[in-house]
Amino acid sequence: MMLTAGSISLSDSLVDFFNQTGFAGATWGNIAMILVAFLLLYLAIKHKFEPLLLFTIAFGMLLTNLPGANMFHSELFAGGHIHWGSFIQDAGLLDYLYLGVKLGIYPCLIFIGVGAMTDFGPLIANPKSFMLGAAAQLGIFVTFLGAYALGFTPAQAGSIGIIGGADGPTAIFLTARLAPELLGPIAVAAYSYMALVPVIQPPIMRLLTTKKEREIKMSQLRPVSKTEKILFPIIIAVIISLLLPSAAPLIGCLMLGNLMKECGVVDRLSKTVQNELMNIVVIFLGITVGATAEAFINVQTLSILVLGVLAFALGTAGGLLLAKFMNLFLPEGKKMNPLIGSAGVSAVPMAARVSQTVGQEANPSNFLLMHAMGPNVAGVVG
């Protein structure tokens, strides 16, 4: 009888221990998202797909889906609002870091760093790039209409459409204001597809262009003066903020960072926002965006993923097709390589590098990177 009692006691202890572990609370949703996190980590580490973003997003996704860790609580942000009454008592580490996303702090800080790392010279030297950047926004508007037709509200459809802008901070900034309830899946989709630009774009680029078009070599861009580079961010910040006041925080921060770089009198600040500030904010943003993928597998979020791919594909096609159309009116020797139009989806500088790579496949002596950077940074402004 003593052995039996001891056996029962040991069994109860093992059961109690198991119930206190995360294994007891694991759901199929948790397991699925952990597997997704493993896949994203693999893509980031093995294939180097936008690793600075995808790595942190994947690990944030992993942390928040570990049962019992209590690092992120989606109920504190239910309905698109911060429930401050329960926040102090129940919040975990990632809940506090997520406030930077929810309050729109991280996107603006990142845009200061992006501006300081951006060279608008190719865009200033070739103003036609503005048109290519605008055409690449086609994916945003068509996807908006498609999402609305599928039953999403206009605000939700706009937030889904902005995925086609291939710009994570913009997607987060806009969605936090229009459809905060979709912030998690939209942010994960936007950053994941940005990382997958080298996979998504090349097939579309080859499909919509001929080998002869991909072989087009473009003449060297004209030199851009320092005065032009200093005036550009000031003028753009003023004009866009007057036309679209709601865009002032993002465009203002972007142009602030660029002016720091170009004016040459605040090098310490420019280097800080390009390196230390940018790196810190990217870590916090990536981890917390991944944390919002707590309950990612459902019909709504899967439809957002599908619409996000559509937005990217149409944006890529829009830039390519406009470049082909513009070539009809340009003389020989002045024609554009249509591949640079695909860079108008933003995703700086990955999309421009893809244009360079696909162009060199057709013609090894082709150097399109600087030409593609024009539409690329135009896409950021767009």
Side-chain angles (χ1 to χ4, degrees), residues 180-199:
E181 68 278 6
L182 299 182
L183 185 58
I186 286 177
V188 171
Y191 276 109
S192 298
Y193 290 143
M194 281 175 61
L196 294 173
V197 160
V199 176

Side-chain angles (χ1 to χ4, degrees), residues 76-95:
L76 295 178
F77 306 95
H81 305 289
I82 303 171
H83 298 277
W84 294 107
S86 306
F87 200 90
I88 302 300
Q89 180 179 352
D90 300 330
L93 172 63
L94 296 183
D95 294 310

Side-chain angles (χ1 to χ4, degrees), residues 18-36:
F18 177 79
N19 289 334
Q20 293 176 34
T21 67
F23 294 105
T27 65
W28 287 111
N30 294 137
I31 295 172
M33 290 312 303
I34 289 173
L35 293 177
V36 171

Side-chain angles (χ1 to χ4, degrees), residues 41-304:
L41 283 171
Y42 170 78
L43 292 174
I45 297 172
K46 176 67 175 178
H47 296 286
K48 299 180 181 179
F49 286 171
E50 204 70 29
L52 293 179
L53 291 171
L54 206 57
F55 177 86
T56 51
I57 288 174
F59 209 83
M61 189 182 298
L62 175 64
L63 290 176
T64 197
N65 282 284
L66 294 174
N70 292 321
M71 299 186 72
F72 182 78
H73 303 81
S74 57
E75 61 271 16
L76 295 178
F77 306 95
H81 305 289
I82 303 171
H83 298 277
W84 294 107
S86 306
F87 200 90
I88 302 300
Q89 180 179 352
D90 300 330
L93 172 63
L94 296 183
D95 294 310
Y96 286 103
L97 295 180
Y98 183 65
L99 290 176
V101 176
K102 193 67 179 173
L103 300 176
I105 298 171
Y106 295 156
C108 292
L109 292 179
I110 283 184
F111 256 43
I112 297 176
V114 170
M117 293 188 292
T118 299
D119 181 8
F120 285 107
L123 177 59
I124 300 170
N126 184 15
K128 293 191 295 291
S129 299
F130 265 118
M131 298 178 65
L132 298 178
Q137 310 310 306
L138 173 69
I140 295 175
F141 297 101
V142 175
T143 304
F144 165 78
L145 295 174
Y148 185 58
L150 290 175
F152 288 96
T153 67
Q156 291 174 333
S159 299
I160 295 169
I162 203 66
I163 295 173
D167 194 279
T170 304
I172 291 171
F173 187 84
L174 181 71
T175 305
R177 281 154 179 73
L178 293 184
E181 68 278 6
L182 299 182
L183 185 58
I186 286 177
V188 171
Y191 276 109
S192 298
Y193 290 143
M194 281 175 61
L196 294 173
V197 160
V199 176
I200 296 172
Q201 284 197 320
I204 301 169
M205 297 162 74
R206 297 187 188 101
L207 177 66
L208 296 180
T209 59
T210 65
K211 188 173 188 296
K212 184 178 179 181
E213 288 175 327
R214 295 194 294 273
E215 291 176 343
I216 294 176
K217 297 179 71 172
M218 299 179 66
S219 58
Q220 188 174 357
L221 294 170
R222 72 170 179 84
V224 177
S225 69
K226 183 176 180 179
T227 301
E228 289 177 288
K229 290 188 174 184
I230 291 175
L231 291 176
F232 182 83
I234 299 172
I235 293 171
I236 292 294
V238 172
I239 292 176
I240 293 183
S241 297
L242 289 175
L243 289 174
L244 296 168
S246 60
L250 278 184
I251 199 69
C253 288
L254 178 70
M255 295 305 161
L256 168 63
N258 187 250
L259 187 58
M260 285 180 179
K261 168 179 176 285
E262 301 296 353
C263 71
V265 296
V266 288
D267 287 342
R268 284 178 55 190
L269 299 183
S270 177
K271 291 177 181 177
T272 297
V273 297
Q274 289 182 52
N275 297 288
E276 290 83 358
L277 179 64
M278 187 74 163
N279 291 336
I280 292 169
V281 178
V282 164
I283 292 171
F284 289 168
L285 179 67
I287 291 174
T288 51
V289 163
T292 59
E294 197 175 22
F296 197 69
I297 304 300
N298 57 55
V299 174
Q300 185 183 62
T301 53
L302 290 177
S303 64
I304 290 173

